[in-house]
Amino acid sequence: HKIGEIDDNEWNAISVAPDKKSLEAYKSDFPQGKHIEECDNLLSDLPWLLCKQQNTIQAYQSYKANYPNKHDKECDDAINILNDDKDWNDAVTTGTTSAYRNYLTAHPNGKHASEAHRRIQSSAGHDAFIRELLRDPNSHDAKEIRTAIENNVVSTADISQIFGIEGANAIAQYQKPSDLPGNNDPDKLSPKLQSDSTEVYFWGYRGSGKTCALGSIISSLKRKGRLEQLDCNGYDYMTRLSNIFTTENVCTLPPGTENANVQEMIMNVSDDKRGKHKITLVDLAGELIEIAYAKIHPDSSFVFMDDDFKSLDKVLDYLKDDRNNKIHFFVVEYDSHRRMVGPNGEYRIEDLLANMIMLLKNNNVFRKTTVGVYVLITKSDKIQASDEEIPQIAGKYLTEKFPTFWTNLSDACNNAGIGDLRTIAFSVGRVFAKNLCFFNDKYTKKVTDKFIIKTYGDGNSFWAKLMKFFRS
């Protein structure tokens, strides 16, 4: 019994890596041993034993060539297993969808086949997500991008390559901003706007970028020390807007204004000579343009409350008051002409804008106190052209894609003798992930210059006195 145990132990040690010397030693020690037949078989086929010990594709191919029809199937099986691992390692190193597909073509039932299928599916989702962001940086919002990272659809490194490290960090840290202060109760609006001020009205449909434009203008004035906020109903709203774009790094875009929101913001804007220009900036929620459509077309599908119509009527009352000069900015988003709005998406934006102009015209809003009418074409950073070409392209876009609106506006200005009707290309900077942007205030100067030119300061300059004389 003891000899048999020693026999087994020695054979087990040899069988791990048998060779000619160890096999012959076993035969010498145990000529009648329990494993002598296995030992003889191995000794009779030493080339195959050596081939298996080498366990390489080249070794098996060489054995088949030198000893045909002897261990062909075992060689083929071994070569396939070795190729399976090699091809899989190559596919993993390449890391592309096509590489994993090539692996499956060679090894449809390979030991890594299930993992290859999983990676193909994951890689396809990764590639599609990256393509969408490269085509349109706003195809996914910050929250969606974060979710894609958490689910390993894309990596932080992928996002950094697209938006830079600063952009990727902003996406990782993004939090939805709180709602802006609201004022949609018409009974809380001022009965009349303050006098001795130039009224500046900002009109825009929902999603036109109007709030972002206002935020960038007011923030820019504050950063440059040219903004003095005065007491008014919209003071809190003005303060929030002035703190949105506080840096030329990545900024979080503000939320849209609430239904029928009307904000009256009174401020002094300083010019280059420290003269102060008093402005009442009136921000009008995008819903007011829809309310205007429902007012003229009572059979439309829009549904509004009585207070909504009262808010619009209050704004019309402001506009009919001739105590102050007035400036109008109509905000139109570049590349928005195909967008449909309404409860069922049945109305073109242009129809709502054109209707708004007709309502203003019918209420004799465009009159001698109107000193300027401008169309801000927001998101003009989408235009792939030089800085010199962008204004012309933006203006052409408006006249070609919103012809009825532009014609109605031009006719209204001509009939009222308003000579300063212009389009202004505008952008807050490079917007990405829908909620963020690399802020650039170079476009704001075009707007603030209009504030200065169309108003008079409180100084004693010749032009200030002349403006006051003609106005009185």
Side-chain angles (χ1 to χ4, degrees):
H1 176 75
K2 189 70 173 175
I3 293 175
E5 184 177 337
I6 296 172
D7 183 337
D8 286 339
N9 289 339
E10 184 165 338
W11 178 252
N12 289 338
I14 291 170
S15 63
V16 173
D19 57 26
K20 182 179 180 180
K21 183 178 179 180
S22 63
L23 291 171
E24 287 178 344
Y26 175 83
K27 284 191 70 173
S28 175
D29 294 340
F30 302 95
Q32 303 298 322
K34 295 163 61 176
H35 305 282
I36 195 69
E37 185 176 353
E38 292 176 75
C39 183
D40 287 339
N41 287 338
L42 290 173
L43 282 170
S44 66
D45 199 358
L46 283 174
W48 175 241
L49 175 62
L50 179 61
C51 178
K52 290 195 295 182
Q53 287 175 341
Q54 292 175 338
N55 195 36
T56 64
I57 293 173
Q58 294 79 3
Y60 290 117
Q61 289 173 337
S62 178
Y63 184 89
K64 281 186 69 176
N66 293 326
Y67 305 95
N69 303 319
K70 195 165 187 183
H71 291 288
D72 284 1
K73 186 177 185 307
E74 292 114 301
C75 285
D76 290 341
D77 290 344
I79 289 171
N80 188 56
I81 291 172
L82 290 171
N83 271 329
D84 189 316
D85 288 335
K86 176 182 177 299
D87 291 345
W88 175 248
N89 290 333
D90 289 344
V92 170
T93 300
T94 304
T96 63
T97 303
S98 59
Y100 295 126
R101 287 201 176 101
N102 289 339
Y103 167 81
L104 286 173
T105 299
H107 309 281
N109 300 309
K111 62 181 180 178
H112 306 287
S114 61
E115 177 64 11
H117 283 296
R118 188 193 69 77
R119 293 198 181 195
I120 286 172
Q121 184 175 4
S122 175
S123 182
H126 166 277
D127 294 347
F129 199 90
I130 294 299
R131 279 197 305 271
E132 289 169 357
L133 286 177
L134 289 173
R135 185 186 70 251
D136 179 5
N138 295 293
S139 56
H140 296 279
D141 63 28
K143 183 178 179 182
E144 291 167 344
I145 294 173
R146 276 213 308 259
T147 300
I149 293 173
E150 292 167 2
N151 293 336
N152 296 315
V153 175
V154 293
S155 67
T156 301
D158 292 327
I159 302 306
S160 295
Q161 285 187 333
I162 298 173
F163 301 122
I165 294 175
E166 190 177 20
N169 288 340
I171 290 171
Q173 299 165 10
Y174 171 78
Q175 292 189 0
K176 182 180 178 181
S178 58
D179 291 336
L180 293 166
N183 183 21
N184 60 351
D185 184 349
D187 294 329
K188 292 182 179 180
L189 296 175
S190 301
K192 288 186 176 183
L193 299 180
Q194 289 188 21
S195 59
D196 296 324
S197 172
T198 298
E199 299 167 18
V200 182
Y201 294 84
F202 271 78
W203 304 87
Y205 49 89
R206 284 191 282 184
S208 63
K210 174 179 58 63
T211 304
C212 287
L214 276 170
S216 71
I217 292 163
I218 297 175
S219 295
S220 180
L221 289 171
K222 180 180 179 180
R223 287 174 59 205
K224 295 175 181 177
R226 298 175 59 191
L227 175 69
E228 179 189 0
Q229 296 180 210
L230 303 178
D231 185 47
C232 56
N233 284 343
Y235 188 89
D236 291 342
Y237 185 81
M238 177 168 42
T239 300
R240 277 288 303 277
L241 288 182
S242 71
N243 291 320
I244 291 172
F245 299 99
T246 57
T247 171
E248 289 200 6
N249 296 321
V250 178
C251 295
T252 300
L253 299 179
T257 50
E258 66 174 285
N259 290 354
N261 186 50
V262 177
Q263 293 286 354
E264 167 199 358
M265 296 173 279
I266 306 176
M267 63 192 75
N268 280 328
V269 176
S270 300
D271 58 31
D272 295 337
K273 296 183 179 179
R274 299 184 178 275
K276 294 182 179 180
H277 301 254
K278 189 176 180 182
I279 292 170
T280 300
L281 203 159
V282 185
D283 182 15
L284 307 164
E287 286 76 13
L288 283 177
I289 291 182
E290 297 174 3
I291 295 167
Y293 192 89
K295 186 178 183 71
I296 292 182
H297 304 279
D299 58 343
S300 74
S301 59
F302 288 113
V303 178
F304 292 106
M305 307 299 290
D306 289 343
D307 276 356
D308 298 326
F309 291 102
K310 286 172 66 176
S311 293
L312 176 61
D313 290 338
K314 177 64 71 175
V315 173
L316 293 175
D317 288 341
Y318 292 161
L319 291 166
K320 295 173 186 176
D321 185 344
D322 286 336
R323 291 176 303 143
N324 296 324
N325 285 344
K326 296 169 177 59
I327 302 172
H328 293 274
F329 285 92
F330 293 92
V331 181
V332 176
E333 178 192 357
Y334 182 80
D335 204 25
S336 65
H337 58 283
R338 298 185 189 88
R339 190 184 306 165
M340 304 295 285
V341 296
N344 302 305
E346 64 268 54
Y347 300 108
R348 298 187 309 158
I349 287 174
E350 188 193 11
D351 293 336
L352 269 61
L353 288 171
N355 177 86
M356 186 74 243
I357 301 304
M358 293 306 297
L359 178 65
L360 296 178
K361 184 178 177 181
N362 292 343
N363 281 270
N364 195 27
V365 164
F366 298 109
R367 49 219 283 168
K368 64 179 182 179
T369 53
T370 304
V371 295
V373 177
Y374 311 102
V375 181
L376 276 190
I377 304 168
T378 57
K379 303 186 183 179
S380 289
D381 54 287
K382 291 182 178 181
I383 301 174
Q384 301 298 312
S386 67
D387 287 347
E388 294 75 20
E389 295 171 320
I390 286 176
Q392 288 76 27
I393 295 173
K396 184 178 180 182
Y397 167 77
L398 183 77
T399 57
E400 289 184 352
K401 302 302 183 182
F402 295 85
T404 307
F405 162 66
W406 180 249
T407 299
N408 286 357
L409 186 58
S410 299
D411 289 346
C413 289
N414 289 334
N415 293 338
I418 301 168
D420 196 11
L421 168 63
R422 302 177 189 277
T423 60
I424 300 176
F426 192 88
S427 170
V428 297
R430 183 161 64 95
V431 177
F432 67 100
K434 295 184 180 179
N435 317 110
L436 301 162
C437 84
F438 292 96
F439 178 55
N440 188 328
D441 68 353
K442 68 178 181 180
Y443 288 93
T444 61
K445 188 176 185 300
K446 298 178 182 179
V447 178
T448 55
D449 281 352
K450 295 298 182 185
F451 292 176
I452 301 302
I453 294 170
K454 296 296 179 178
T455 60
Y456 55 88
D458 61 359
N460 294 314
S461 69
F462 169 77
W463 289 111
K465 291 179 179 178
L466 189 63
M467 289 291 289
K468 289 180 180 179
F469 172 77
F470 279 116
R471 183 180 175 279
S472 62

